[in-house]
Amino acid sequence: IARLTGRHPYSGSMSPHDVSMRVVADHIRATTFLIADGVIPSNEWRGYVLRKIMRRAMRHGRHLGTSEPFLHKLVRVLARDMGDAYPEIRSGQDTIEQTVLAEEKRFDAVLTDGLPRLEAELARAVESSSRVLSGEAAFRLYDTFGLPIEFIEDTAATQDVTLDRDGFERALEGQREKA
């Protein structure tokens, strides 16, 4: 992970980079095993959980400084290190890598469309005295552009902006009622 992201080697500390590397390592293992078991990223059930796991790993990859897809390259490491005990990882390696890469590209497209809008909303929040990103604005980014709320919250925190989570939940519930 350090080599792929251009970071210093993992030291086992509680530094933000080491924590991100641990998250990526844990999540790519879960991702690989789930896909090997036939789970595909989607917006429902197990596929939704898989997508959330993958996107959290991708967010931590961004914390490590990479904006290029890299998770799919880690499947090879897992196949090498765990393939004797779990042969389905080796036999399905190509499919697993392709599935992970496709989801990385899908998430990159979401960020390409939504990130500039998130940055504009955060700039407004930074200029305000409260330094709060409104729940309504966060919901628009989530609903219209597909930005995960965790990504919005993480990005806001890097600029010392708080997310109005209650306002987001109210907007989400309002949308559910309309639907």
Side-chain angles (χ1 to χ4, degrees):
I1 295 166
R3 185 177 47 75
L4 288 173
T5 61
R7 289 282 162 197
H8 295 290
Y10 176 77
S11 68
S13 73
M14 289 305 294
S15 74
H17 293 128
D18 278 6
V19 169
S20 287
M21 284 189 226
R22 284 193 295 276
V23 169
V24 169
D26 178 60
H27 287 37
I28 193 60
R29 275 192 305 271
T31 293
T32 299
F33 281 101
L34 284 166
I35 295 170
D37 284 344
V39 179
I40 302 298
S42 71
N43 289 328
E44 298 176 337
W45 304 101
R46 298 180 311 165
Y48 179 70
V49 173
L50 172 58
R51 179 168 279 159
K52 284 187 75 161
I53 290 168
M54 294 174 77
R55 289 184 173 186
R56 185 165 189 255
M58 291 174 215
R59 285 196 327 270
H60 278 273
R62 287 187 175 259
H63 293 321
L64 293 168
T66 185
S67 59
E68 297 297 317
F70 77 103
L71 289 177
H72 67 283
K73 296 175 184 176
L74 297 171
V75 174
R76 176 176 297 127
V77 176
L78 285 166
R80 182 193 69 214
D81 293 349
M82 303 182 94
D84 289 341
Y86 302 96
E88 65 273 16
I89 294 173
R90 276 204 187 121
S91 64
Q93 180 179 340
D94 289 341
T95 302
I96 296 166
E97 287 175 352
Q98 290 169 5
T99 303
V100 172
L101 179 59
E103 187 63 22
E104 286 182 289
K105 288 180 177 178
R106 197 172 295 115
F107 189 53
D108 189 52
V110 165
L111 293 182
T112 298
D113 290 343
L115 194 55
R117 289 169 174 86
L118 172 58
E119 289 170 348
E121 290 292 344
L122 290 175
R124 280 192 278 282
V126 165
E127 292 172 4
S128 73
S129 60
S130 66
R131 298 186 69 88
V132 173
L133 176 63
S134 78
E136 294 79 20
F139 178 75
R140 247 188 338 276
L141 293 165
Y142 166 82
D143 188 50
T144 305
F145 301 103
L147 288 177
I149 191 62
E150 297 87 1
F151 182 83
I152 295 169
E153 203 162 31
D154 286 352
T155 306
T158 65
Q159 297 186 31
D160 198 29
V161 170
T162 305
L163 170 64
D164 174 12
R165 191 69 181 225
D166 289 339
F168 173 82
E169 294 298 333
R170 282 191 303 276
L172 181 61
E173 187 55 37
Q175 181 69 12
R176 283 187 187 135
E177 288 173 10
K178 286 180 187 176

